[in-house]
C-alpha cells in the first residue's frame, strides 16, 4: 500500500511539473476529449454516492 502511494505521488508530481510541456504536445481536441471523459467518470461516481445514500435512507424509512 505504501509503495502504491509513493508511486502515485511521484506520478502526480511529474504531471504537475511537466504540465506545460505535456499541454504543448497534446492537441486541444484530445485534451477536450480527455476532460469530457473525466467529467463523465466524476458524474458516475457522484450518482453512485447519491444512490447509495438514498438507498440506505429509504431502507431505514421503509423498514423501521
Amino acid at each position: 500500500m505504501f509503495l502504491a502511494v509513493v508511486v502515485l505521488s511521484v506520478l502526480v508530481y511529474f504531471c504537475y511539473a511537466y504540465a506545460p510541456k505535456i499541454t504543448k504536445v497534446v492537441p486541444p481536441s484530445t485534451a477536450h476529449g480527455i476532460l469530457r471523459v473525466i467529467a463523465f467518470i466524476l458524474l458516475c461516481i457522484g450518482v453512485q454516492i447519491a444512490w447509495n445514500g438514498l438507498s440506505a435512507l429509504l431502507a431505514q424509512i421503509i423498514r423501521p
Side-chain angles (χ1 to χ4, degrees):
M1 182 74 111
F2 178 74
L3 181 62
V5 170
V6 170
V7 169
L8 284 175
S9 299
V10 169
L11 286 174
V12 168
Y13 172 78
F14 279 114
C15 285
Y16 276 117
Y18 295 105
K21 292 181 182 179
I22 294 171
T23 55
K24 288 179 184 176
V25 175
V26 176
S29 60
T30 304
H32 185 67
I34 291 170
L35 288 175
R36 289 181 65 142
V37 169
I38 291 171
F40 178 72
I41 291 170
L42 287 175
L43 174 70
C44 292
I45 292 170
V47 168
Q48 183 67 42
I49 291 170
W51 183 265
N52 288 340
L54 287 173
S55 174
L57 178 66
L58 290 175
Q60 289 181 356
I61 291 174
I62 294 173
R63 296 182 223 133

